[in-house]
Amino acid sequence: GSRPARTAKPEPLAVAAASDLQAAFPEIGALFERETGQPVRFAFASTGTLTQQIEHGAPFDVFAAANEDFIRRLEAGGHVLSDTVAPYARGHIVLAWRKGAARLESLEDLRDPAIHFVAIANPAHAPYGRAARQALEHASLWDPLQPKITLAENIRQATVMIEMGNAEAGIVARSVVAASGVEWTEVDASLYDPIEQTVAVVAGSPQSDAARRFVQLLLGEAGQRVLARSGFSPPGKGP
Amino acid sequence: MSDALVEIRLRKRLHAELTLEVDLELGTGCSILFGRSGSGKTTTLCAVAGLCRPDAGHVRVGDRVLYDSERGTSLPMRQRRVGMIFQDDLLFPHLSVRENVLYGLAHWPRQERGERLEAMADLFAIGPLLARRPASLSGGEKQRVGLARAIATRPQLLLCDEPISAIDQEGRAVLLAHLGRVQQTERIPVLYVTHSVQEAMALGEQVFVLDHGRVVARGTPLDVFTEPRQLSLARLTRVRNILSATVEQHASDEGLTLARVPGGPVLRVPLVAAPVGSTIIIGLRADDVLLARQPVTGISAQNMLEGRVTEILRHGADVEVLIDCGVRFVASVVPAAVTSLGLEPGGPVCMIIKARSCHLL
Amino acid sequence: MSDALVEIRLRKRLHAELTLEVDLELGTGCSILFGRSGSGKTTTLCAVAGLCRPDAGHVRVGDRVLYDSERGTSLPMRQRRVGMIFQDDLLFPHLSVRENVLYGLAHWPRQERGERLEAMADLFAIGPLLARRPASLSGGEKQRVGLARAIATRPQLLLCDEPISAIDQEGRAVLLAHLGRVQQTERIPVLYVTHSVQEAMALGEQVFVLDHGRVVARGTPLDVFTEPRQLSLARLTRVRNILSATVEQHASDEGLTLARVPGGPVLRVPLVAAPVGSTIIIGLRADDVLLARQPVTGISAQNMLEGRVTEILRHGADVEVLIDCGVRFVASVVPAAVTSLGLEPGGPVCMIIKARSCHLL
Amino acid sequence: MSVDLRPLYLTLEISLASTVLVLAAGTPIAWLLARKNFFGKHLVDALVMQPLVIPPTVLGYYLLVLLGRSSALGRFLEQHLGIVIVFSVPGAVLAAAAASVPLYIKPARAAIESVPRAYEDVARLLGRSEWSVLWTVTLPLAWRGIVAGAVMAFTRAMGDFGATLMVIGGRFQTVSIAIYDAWQAGDLSRANLLVLIITVFSILVLWSVSRLTGGRI
Amino acid sequence: MSVDLRPLYLTLEISLASTVLVLAAGTPIAWLLARKNFFGKHLVDALVMQPLVIPPTVLGYYLLVLLGRSSALGRFLEQHLGIVIVFSVPGAVLAAAAASVPLYIKPARAAIESVPRAYEDVARLLGRSEWSVLWTVTLPLAWRGIVAGAVMAFTRAMGDFGATLMVIGGRFQTVSIAIYDAWQAGDLSRANLLVLIITVFSILVLWSVSRLTGGRI
Ligand SMILES: Nc1ncnc2c1ncn2[C@@H]1O[C@H](COP(=O)(O)OP(=O)(O)OP(=O)(O)O)[C@@H](O)[C@H]1O
Ligand SMILES: Nc1ncnc2c1ncn2[C@@H]1O[C@H](COP(=O)(O)OP(=O)(O)OP(=O)(O)O)[C@@H](O)[C@H]1O
Ligand SMILES: [Mg+2]
Ligand SMILES: [Mg+2]
């Protein structure tokens, strides 16, 4: 329930955010609160889950997805305000391996028989998983590596698999490895479609003004700085 | 429709070889359902209570029809107002003895409930057990609690399934007396299952003998248990002579009471505590009747009754001699005795009966 | 340590007012534990079987110590080799009658198992029930299956807790005979709980009377039940004579068997199906002994035994005459008979006993 | 490390409410399945188990479809009664209840079936109504199974993550969600701490149930 | 829409194997909890319930910590026996078993406790060993609770998603995972179809269990 607010704190802004933003967004929330005095409450889940919730009227104000498709789907259904749809960051996949293990230079190195398992997010629904698959396909490694490919529910789980040593290597998101204990190297961005993480204000948000301000903060310099530190690059640009 | 207080007609197939088919009419009073193990006694009670469904029949208590297969009536158990005491106690294991007894009185006013509990506790001597759980009771104690629970609710019909089989003879006598009293003060018709002649005699105003699912004999205990042609009964029981007599005189120094059997002889029986003029019922086993050609003297037997042989029934090594001496007696002897005494129908005979062989029922 | 086959000493506090404290010594044969409801009979059996733990005591069967509180011994139940028949049947509800009876024979060779099952089915007349589940059995049928299950395993000690209370008198007689036979052929010591004197007489070689947790009388059924000073017992029982006799001759046309009581008279009893030379046990109620000053003729009684009065005991209106005619007999008469016959200790007396009064136990 | 205890309260609140709901809705169903024969009983029996078969998140999704603000029922409730079930604590309670109800019904049914009918018949003969028989005989004699089912339902509700997450819409955090979030965020020590807290907490709860039910269960 | 049936077989295989495992491991525990008193019994009782309290994914994670390739046990198994438990069907079985074992132990325990000890004593008096008593008396008389628990464990294993997913590494797809994947990908009609399939399938399974256990579960 709601408590009687001593300092008349406004109702927090509800931001639905993709799981890969878990490292970056709390800081942006703090920025927003400092700037507006209004706190932010985040709900982290997979983009698919959040999309379903919004479609069924979840009371979010802002939705920061891990890609563009789901936002477009919501837009088509009138669940987000079209004029607020904007890419806010571009995600990147990286080749990661367990700390202390032999360094990997390229995707080719995944053929190494010492590598039994290669963890990626499930390409069926995770944007970074799809990117990983594309990269492997372009490198003609998808089929030969099949026996090694290990799917995780999301990019974070894929990272955990590497971290724990269950998979010797994997292709995960740059935004996730930063905060984890794995070593990594970039994957050539030309090998996969750019991951345009897109944001929008949820239709029917009772605080759409504040929501727009949050989106502006996210797209603005301060927000971008935080995102960059977390391994994202600005939307529509290279690494 | 008969004008009996309770009418029970039931048919139920139990297995390939056994179909229960009974037809009982009960009055206010205790009716005994007597019969060997497996004859269908428990099943009869269950069908009356509604615990199992007969194939067909009609059960009426007073003007309430509990079951009628033709009209499709079958009252739910809770409306039958039938109390039942089960062969295997079926006390609620999760309730104390007190709660068990009070269980059927939930809707009674508080005070009456308390009084009834007390009355039952006194009657069945379960006062000290009230706080206990059934699991810790002895066999006989369980049976007493079961009786108290069923009787507490003042049912309109009481069904007792060998309710005191685990109770010792002394306690049994006390309980039987209590039961008789309850049954008389509350005027509840009782259907009482037992295979003890003693119980049947003590309680029964009426006996139904069940055999293989059918009523093979019915009537007063006197009639039923003395009917000599009831071979199967003869084997079940031993008391064959039952006599109703009037107390004529007490000879307390001799330890004797003289009792006259209406239309028959005066019997000398062990001293009884019944006033002169009152009626007592005397049971005498056919085995206990000694026969002689003529009266003999110098023996301890107190009764010497002359009569006439009316019939001699033989079944194998068993011989039963029916004797008329105003009332009918049955004597059971070995075949050798018939020849050595030259007994024959119509001939005279003398019955020698010990006073101690005459049991007060 | 006593040299009895089975030694049972137990102490167990049951509740504030009742502490069980028994001390029994059994031989091969049937010992009766007799006592009113709640006297601690079931608890005694349970403690012997290991179903409940006594506070202290010692239980030995042959040379096997089942329990000893001082030495801290308490054999696990499965090693006690004790068979028990329970007051509330406790048949396995999920097994058929056949499986119940076979349950204790799991480790027997296949063929013996089958034979034993057949023997038990015959003995207890449960053949037609073998495929049924206990839930559908009648009360008496359950008890028979319980007996079969316990006896099948050939235990070294058999504990029976009112095993035939739900069985009719005819079936009871048959079962008692069977039980007696089993007990004799297999030489199993039996501890048998009952409050029926008939059963105690039929089976018991020894009786322990329990009252409020203590053994208040012990001895042969004759001694215990004829011990006239046991007033509480007198109320619980009817006095009887028990005689062991050897079959001497069959007179089948007369329907008689002649049996000699060692050191005593020859008794004429109803024809029995026992070979000449075999030993039978004859029960005779004290009430059934008729006394005369001298032999009389022309009566149906087949036995006329001369003896000598050893003692005359009076309690109120009851008189018991103890008679020596090689073995001791007890006759129960009314006071009037004593005077009219002029009976006195040391004087001659003649006992008149009907063949039919001699019951084969 | 400072730990926000509000999720713990919320979890307790939700799981208690959910358990009450499960008991209220599950007991009649368990009883029907145990004691009555009706057409489609097997189907009901199997359907009742479905929440176990479907991934909790998807289960939550179906709840959204059924009760969400764009569903017929949800719209009706919102427009006429002003009640929004989803994305609220009641929604979370519903989700937790949906996820845990099979865990109650199954053992409760088994326990009720194991109560000898004879005792119920005795109670009926003593004049008690079906309702009264249920409360004074059937359920007390089935209590071990009932309590086992209730404890499982409570525990499951406490641990529910997928269904709650879906329905609660991130507006509140239960301990499960907090654990998952911490774990997702790579904050393992926080996740472990939370697991430890919920473990200790649930042990306390189970232990008190043990004590309350007489040391057995 | 073409549906790949392999996940169905795999699901059946995993859940059957998991149920066998649960029965084998859970029965002794249930029996101990029901019939023996030992120090820390309450704790064991509560610990056994923990898999219900922890989000399945995190449970899977703990399994990985315990059995993963860099854990002591996992390393030993891999180096000396060449067995890798994670990312394999045995791993999925273990995960499903871990997630479902509380659902078995709790009702099994309650059912065993409800068996009157007198029957066990009778069996002992008839010379049977404890082991034999357990098999011929205790478990048969507790069968309703046992079957209820086993059915729940089976169903839960069939529906396990979080723990299995974590351990199986997407190298195989169970129906649950397929549902989740389809649903996450926004392919609702596929998700619904899969739910329908697993529902029908589980109804068939539950129905056959019903039939096998004499129409009464
Ligand atoms: N469901 C059943 N299936 C087959 N036979 C049954 C069933 N129920 C009862 N019987 C049989 O019907 C007969 C009558 O049973 P019932 O319980 O009425 O006997 P009873 O007269 O009460 O005997 P007892 O004095 O031993 O209690 C028994 O032989 C019993 O085995
Ligand atoms: N756990 C217990 N707590 C209190 N009293 C008990 C307990 N167990 C038995 N008793 C009492 O001990 C007495 C003896 O019980 P027991 O069952 O041995 O009697 P019994 O001689 O077998 O009687 P019955 O002939 O009625 O079966 C009874 O009065 C009973 O109530
Ligand atoms: Mg009966
Ligand atoms: Mg007893």
Side-chain angles (χ1 to χ4, degrees):
Chain A
S2 61
R3 308 153 162 225
R6 245 173 297 141
T7 51
K9 251 190 178 175
E11 178 71 8
L13 192 70
V15 175
S19 306
D20 63 330
L21 299 167
Q22 223 150 357
F25 263 37
E27 198 177 336
I28 291 177
L31 279 181
F32 182 79
E33 182 167 2
R34 209 176 311 142
E35 199 172 285
T36 63
Q38 185 180 17
V40 180
R41 195 183 57 221
F42 292 104
F44 296 106
S46 76
T47 301
T49 301
L50 295 169
T51 303
Q52 296 285 6
Q53 288 176 325
I54 289 165
E55 276 180 340
H56 288 89
F60 293 123
D61 299 304
V62 177
F63 179 25
N67 63 2
E68 202 181 340
D69 301 357
F70 280 107
I71 294 282
R72 292 290 168 214
R73 196 173 108 192
L74 288 172
E75 189 186 359
H79 297 290
V80 295
L81 303 179
S82 297
D83 63 323
T84 61
V85 173
Y88 60 93
R90 175 171 288 184
H92 299 276
I93 53 172
V94 296
L95 176 61
W97 62 92
R98 196 178 183 201
K99 198 171 254 163
R103 183 186 168 81
L104 301 180
E105 297 297 343
S106 72
L107 296 179
E108 268 311 310
D109 292 349
L110 294 175
R111 290 179 183 270
D112 183 347
I115 294 178
H116 293 98
F117 297 109
V118 175
I120 65 172
N122 192 335
H125 51 79
Y128 291 90
R130 191 180 321 151
R133 178 182 177 155
Q134 284 170 349
L136 289 174
E137 278 172 348
H138 276 122
S140 306
L141 288 169
W142 181 248
D143 288 327
L145 286 184
Q146 264 315 298
K148 300 184 177 184
I149 299 288
T150 297
L151 304 182
E153 179 189 351
N154 57 38
I155 205 67
R156 168 69 203 155
Q157 282 188 17
T159 313
V160 167
M161 285 179 184
I162 303 165
E163 228 172 346
M164 296 176 66
N166 287 310
E168 286 85 353
I171 300 171
V172 297
R174 200 164 72 188
S175 59
V176 174
V177 286
S180 73
V182 299
E183 290 179 17
W184 53 278
T185 183
E186 301 281 355
V187 172
D188 184 356
S190 64
L191 291 178
Y192 57 94
D193 296 340
I195 304 164
E196 293 288 354
Q197 302 214 155
T198 305
V199 70
V201 170
V202 176
S205 158
Q207 354 186 19
S208 56
D209 288 347
R212 282 172 198 274
R213 275 185 75 175
F214 182 87
V215 172
Q216 276 161 20
L217 174 72
L218 189 62
L219 298 175
E221 202 183 322
Q224 290 298 310
R225 237 194 339 263
V226 174
L227 288 173
R229 236 185 292 129
S230 295
F232 292 101
S233 57
K237 301 206 182 88
Chain B
M1 183 173 134
S2 92
D3 52 354
L5 181 60
V6 178
E7 203 187 341
I8 298 170
R9 271 187 287 114
L10 293 169
R11 188 160 53 71
K12 181 174 172 66
R13 198 184 124 97
L14 282 167
H15 53 77
E17 274 119 59
L18 182 61
T19 298
L20 185 71
E21 214 161 348
V22 296
D23 178 357
L24 316 174
E25 294 186 352
L26 322 181
T28 56
C30 185
S31 305
I32 304 290
L33 199 55
F34 189 91
R36 75 182 63 193
S37 176
S39 56
K41 305 181 296 295
T42 298
T43 311
T44 304
L45 297 201
C46 285
V48 172
L51 296 169
C52 67
R53 230 193 154 74
D55 299 332
H58 176 84
V59 177
R60 182 177 56 75
V61 176
D63 47 10
R64 294 163 60 242
V65 174
L66 306 191
Y67 176 77
D68 190 300
S69 54
E70 271 165 36
R71 281 191 274 166
T73 316
S74 181
L75 274 198
M77 278 178 254
R78 69 191 179 89
Q79 287 168 19
R80 294 200 173 203
R81 308 204 47 197
V82 159
M84 184 152 174
I85 293 122
F86 298 85
Q87 200 166 6
D88 36 357
D89 61 85
L90 285 182
L91 299 177
F92 297 121
H94 59 298
L95 301 180
S96 68
V97 168
R98 170 181 287 107
E99 289 162 332
N100 264 284
V101 175
L102 287 175
Y103 191 86
L105 313 181
H107 56 285
W108 286 31
R110 193 188 174 73
Q111 175 160 5
E112 280 181 48
R113 220 163 52 192
E115 285 165 8
R116 189 71 176 161
L117 173 67
E118 220 166 281
M120 289 298 118
D122 285 352
L123 203 57
F124 297 105
I126 53 173
L129 311 177
L130 287 178
R132 302 244 301 265
R133 287 278 174 96
S136 78
L137 300 183
S138 84
E141 288 163 349
K142 282 182 197 162
Q143 288 195 331
R144 271 141 54 197
V145 176
L147 275 164
R149 181 176 69 177
I151 290 174
T153 59
R154 296 192 207 282
Q156 294 192 348
L157 170 62
L158 191 62
L159 307 171
C160 303
D161 198 354
E162 305 190 19
I164 55 172
S165 62
I167 293 173
D168 52 279
Q169 294 188 347
E170 188 189 356
R172 205 177 268 222
V174 175
L175 268 183
L176 285 179
H178 285 338
L179 270 181
R181 198 150 11 103
V182 166
Q183 181 255 299
Q184 268 174 7
T185 56
E186 313 207 345
R187 309 300 298 158
I188 316 174
V190 178
L191 186 54
Y192 190 103
V193 167
T194 184
H195 42 64
S196 148
V197 181
Q198 183 208 356
E199 284 173 45
M201 285 308 216
L203 282 174
E205 298 182 5
Q206 196 178 192
V207 176
F208 300 95
V209 179
L210 216 56
D211 198 17
H212 287 99
R214 274 159 211 276
V215 178
V216 294
R218 62 179 78 208
T220 64
L222 224 75
D223 290 343
V224 168
F225 291 123
T226 56
E227 173 52 64
R229 280 175 196 82
Q230 290 295 343
L231 226 174
S232 70
L233 242 190
R235 265 190 279 126
L236 278 176
T237 71
R238 285 274 166 68
V239 180
R240 301 296 303 284
N241 298 289
I242 291 171
L243 307 156
S244 151
T246 315
V247 174
E248 234 172 33
Q249 189 191 326
H250 293 299
S252 27
D253 49 337
E254 294 180 68
L256 288 176
T257 290
L258 274 60
R260 173 173 296 280
V261 179
V266 172
L267 280 175
R268 296 159 78 82
V269 303
L271 198 61
V272 294
V276 170
S278 62
T279 302
I280 56 175
I281 298 191
I282 296 163
L284 172 62
R285 304 180 332 151
D287 282 348
D288 291 349
V289 179
L290 199 69
L291 299 182
R293 262 176 307 219
Q294 56 208 55
V296 290
T297 51
I299 61 170
S300 62
Q302 299 293 315
N303 298 289
M304 199 77 64
L305 310 176
E306 285 176 90
R308 196 159 286 283
V309 174
T310 56
E311 206 169 337
I312 296 176
L313 303 165
R314 287 164 209 270
H315 352 263
D318 287 346
V319 178
E320 287 189 333
V321 184
L322 307 195
I323 295 150
D324 179 17
C325 66
V327 290
R328 187 180 63 183
F329 278 80
V330 184
S332 166
V333 296
V334 286
V338 177
T339 19
S340 70
L341 294 181
L343 295 180
E344 49 181 31
V349 72
C350 180
M351 291 185 285
I352 301 170
I353 300 165
K354 290 187 67 169
R356 291 297 305 261
S357 295
C358 299
H359 303 291
L360 212 70
L361 294 176
Chain C
M1 186 174 134
S2 91
D3 52 352
L5 183 58
V6 180
E7 201 186 342
I8 298 170
R9 269 187 289 116
L10 293 169
R11 188 161 52 71
K12 183 175 170 67
R13 199 183 123 97
L14 283 167
H15 53 75
E17 275 120 58
L18 183 61
T19 299
L20 184 71
E21 214 161 349
V22 296
D23 178 357
L24 316 174
E25 293 186 351
L26 322 181
T28 55
C30 184
S31 304
I32 304 289
L33 200 54
F34 189 92
R36 74 184 60 197
S37 176
S39 55
K41 307 181 294 297
T42 298
T43 310
T44 303
L45 296 201
C46 285
V48 172
L51 296 168
C52 66
R53 230 192 154 75
D55 300 331
H58 176 84
V59 178
R60 183 178 55 77
V61 176
D63 47 9
R64 293 163 60 242
V65 174
L66 306 190
Y67 175 77
D68 190 298
S69 54
E70 270 164 38
R71 279 190 275 164
T73 316
S74 180
L75 272 198
M77 280 178 254
R78 69 189 178 87
Q79 288 170 16
R80 294 202 174 204
R81 308 204 47 196
V82 158
M84 183 153 175
I85 293 122
F86 297 86
Q87 200 167 6
D88 35 356
D89 61 84
L90 286 183
L91 297 178
F92 297 120
H94 60 297
L95 301 181
S96 68
V97 168
R98 170 181 287 107
E99 290 162 332
N100 264 284
V101 175
L102 287 175
Y103 190 85
L105 314 181
H107 56 285
W108 286 32
R110 195 189 173 75
Q111 174 159 3
E112 280 181 47
R113 222 162 52 192
E115 285 167 7
R116 189 72 176 159
L117 172 69
E118 220 167 277
M120 290 296 119
D122 284 352
L123 203 57
F124 298 105
I126 52 174
L129 310 177
L130 286 179
R132 301 243 302 267
R133 287 279 173 97
S136 78
L137 299 184
S138 83
E141 288 163 350
K142 281 182 197 162
Q143 289 194 329
R144 272 142 53 199
V145 177
L147 276 164
R149 181 177 68 176
I151 291 174
T153 58
R154 298 193 207 280
Q156 295 193 345
L157 170 64
L158 190 63
L159 307 171
C160 303
D161 198 354
E162 305 189 21
I164 56 173
S165 63
I167 292 173
D168 52 278
Q169 295 187 345
E170 185 193 358
R172 206 176 269 222
V174 174
L175 269 183
L176 285 181
H178 285 338
L179 269 180
R181 199 151 7 107
V182 165
Q183 179 255 300
Q184 270 175 3
T185 57
E186 314 208 345
R187 309 302 297 161
I188 316 175
V190 178
L191 186 55
Y192 190 102
V193 167
T194 184
H195 41 64
S196 149
V197 182
Q198 184 208 355
E199 284 173 44
M201 287 308 224
L203 284 174
E205 297 182 5
Q206 192 177 197
V207 176
F208 299 94
V209 180
L210 216 57
D211 198 17
H212 288 98
R214 271 157 213 279
V215 178
V216 294
R218 64 179 75 210
T220 65
L222 198 73
D223 288 343
V224 168
F225 292 123
T226 57
E227 175 47 68
R229 282 166 198 91
Q230 290 291 345
L231 233 172
S232 72
L233 244 189
R235 262 189 281 129
L236 281 173
T237 70
R238 291 256 180 74
V239 182
R240 292 208 188 184
N241 298 288
I242 295 198
L243 306 157
S244 152
T246 314
V247 174
E248 234 172 33
Q249 189 189 328
H250 294 298
S252 30
D253 48 338
E254 296 179 63
L256 289 175
T257 290
L258 274 59
R260 171 173 298 280
V261 180
V266 173
L267 280 173
R268 297 160 75 83
V269 303
L271 198 61
V272 293
V276 169
S278 63
T279 301
I280 57 176
I281 297 192
I282 296 162
L284 172 63
R285 306 189 324 160
D287 281 348
D288 291 350
V289 179
L290 200 68
L291 299 183
R293 260 174 308 216
Q294 57 206 61
V296 291
T297 50
I299 61 171
S300 62
Q302 298 293 316
N303 298 290
M304 200 76 65
L305 311 177
E306 287 175 87
R308 196 159 287 283
V309 174
T310 56
E311 206 170 339
I312 298 175
L313 302 163
R314 287 162 209 270
H315 356 261
D318 286 346
V319 177
E320 288 186 334
V321 183
L322 308 194
I323 294 151
D324 179 17
C325 67
V327 290
R328 187 179 68 176
F329 279 79
V330 183
S332 168
V333 296
V334 286
V338 178
T339 20
S340 71
L341 293 183
L343 294 182
E344 51 181 29
V349 71
C350 180
M351 292 185 285
I352 303 170
I353 299 165
K354 290 187 67 169
R356 291 297 304 260
S357 294
C358 299
H359 303 290
L360 211 71
L361 298 178
Chain D
M1 197 180 316
S2 93
V3 176
D4 184 0
L5 282 183
R6 271 172 312 171
L8 199 59
Y9 299 141
L10 186 67
T11 301
L12 188 60
E13 196 182 320
I14 291 177
S15 25
L16 277 178
S18 149
T19 307
V20 169
L21 202 65
V22 163
L23 288 174
T27 308
I29 299 178
W31 181 80
L32 278 174
L33 287 172
R35 284 296 189 231
K36 298 287 158 190
N37 277 317
F38 49 88
F39 181 76
K41 178 167 163 171
H42 286 311
L43 198 68
V44 172
D45 182 41
L47 279 179
V48 153
M49 296 297 281
Q50 287 315 301
L52 272 182
V53 179
I54 303 170
T57 320
V58 179
L59 179 68
Y61 165 74
Y62 283 129
L63 269 185
L64 279 189
V65 171
L66 206 71
L67 300 170
R69 298 173 67 188
S70 45
S71 71
L73 189 60
R75 250 200 313 263
F76 173 86
L77 287 176
E78 182 164 357
Q79 282 170 13
H80 296 275
L81 303 170
I83 299 174
V84 181
I85 294 179
V86 292
F87 311 122
S88 63
V89 173
V93 171
L94 265 184
S100 54
V101 74
L103 303 199
Y104 174 70
I105 291 183
K106 205 80 190 168
R109 176 191 170 177
I112 291 175
E113 274 180 326
S114 297
V115 173
R117 279 165 197 254
Y119 288 117
E120 296 174 352
D121 285 344
V122 173
R124 290 187 187 108
L125 274 181
L126 288 166
R128 291 295 187 93
S129 66
E130 289 303 308
W131 178 248
S132 169
V133 170
L134 178 68
W135 281 97
T136 58
V137 175
T138 316
L139 296 184
L141 285 178
W143 72 275
R144 284 185 209 277
I146 302 270
V147 173
V151 165
M152 282 202 295
F154 177 81
T155 320
R156 174 72 180 80
M158 215 155 71
D160 183 57
F161 160 71
T164 308
L165 179 76
M166 195 68 202
V167 168
I168 210 167
R171 297 195 48 166
F172 316 94
Q173 224 183 13
T174 62
V175 177
S176 271
I177 295 178
I179 292 173
Y180 186 78
D181 281 356
W183 184 80
Q184 274 288 338
D187 192 347
L188 283 183
S189 51
R190 185 183 174 78
N192 288 337
L193 180 69
L194 285 167
V195 165
L196 190 68
I197 289 175
I198 192 73
T199 299
V200 169
F201 181 73
S202 67
I203 287 176
L204 284 178
V205 170
L206 295 173
W207 182 75
S208 357
V209 173
S210 262
R211 296 302 302 260
L212 284 176
T213 57
R216 297 146 302 157
I217 280 288
Chain E
M1 195 181 316
S2 94
V3 177
D4 182 1
L5 282 184
R6 270 173 310 171
L8 200 59
Y9 299 140
L10 186 66
T11 302
L12 188 62
E13 194 182 321
I14 290 177
S15 25
L16 278 178
S18 147
T19 308
V20 169
L21 203 62
V22 163
L23 288 173
T27 307
I29 299 178
W31 180 81
L32 277 175
L33 287 171
R35 285 293 190 235
K36 298 287 160 189
N37 277 317
F38 49 89
F39 181 76
K41 177 166 165 171
H42 287 309
L43 197 70
V44 172
D45 182 40
L47 280 179
V48 153
M49 296 297 281
Q50 288 313 303
L52 273 182
V53 180
I54 304 170
T57 316
V58 179
L59 179 69
Y61 166 75
Y62 284 131
L63 269 183
L64 282 187
V65 171
L66 208 71
L67 301 170
R69 298 175 63 204
S70 48
S71 71
L73 189 61
R75 247 200 316 259
F76 173 83
L77 288 176
E78 184 165 354
Q79 283 170 10
H80 295 275
L81 305 170
I83 298 173
V84 180
I85 294 180
V86 293
F87 309 137
S88 66
V89 173
V93 170
L94 267 182
S100 54
V101 73
L103 304 197
Y104 173 71
I105 290 183
K106 203 81 190 170
R109 176 191 170 174
I112 291 175
E113 274 182 324
S114 298
V115 172
R117 280 165 197 255
Y119 288 117
E120 296 174 352
D121 285 344
V122 173
R124 291 188 187 107
L125 274 181
L126 288 166
R128 291 294 188 96
S129 67
E130 290 304 307
W131 178 249
S132 170
V133 170
L134 177 69
W135 281 97
T136 59
V137 175
T138 315
L139 296 183
L141 285 177
W143 71 274
R144 284 186 209 278
I146 301 271
V147 173
V151 165
M152 283 202 293
F154 177 80
T155 319
R156 174 72 180 79
M158 213 156 71
D160 183 57
F161 158 70
T164 308
L165 183 72
M166 192 70 199
V167 169
I168 209 170
R171 302 180 60 84
F172 317 95
Q173 224 182 14
T174 64
V175 178
S176 271
I177 294 176
I179 292 173
Y180 183 78
D181 285 352
W183 181 79
Q184 279 287 344
D187 192 348
L188 285 182
S189 50
R190 185 182 176 78
N192 288 337
L193 180 68
L194 285 166
V195 166
L196 189 70
I197 289 175
I198 190 73
T199 300
V200 168
F201 181 72
S202 68
I203 287 175
L204 284 178
V205 170
L206 294 172
W207 182 75
S208 1
V209 174
S210 263
R211 297 300 303 261
L212 283 177
T213 57
R216 299 146 299 156
I217 286 269

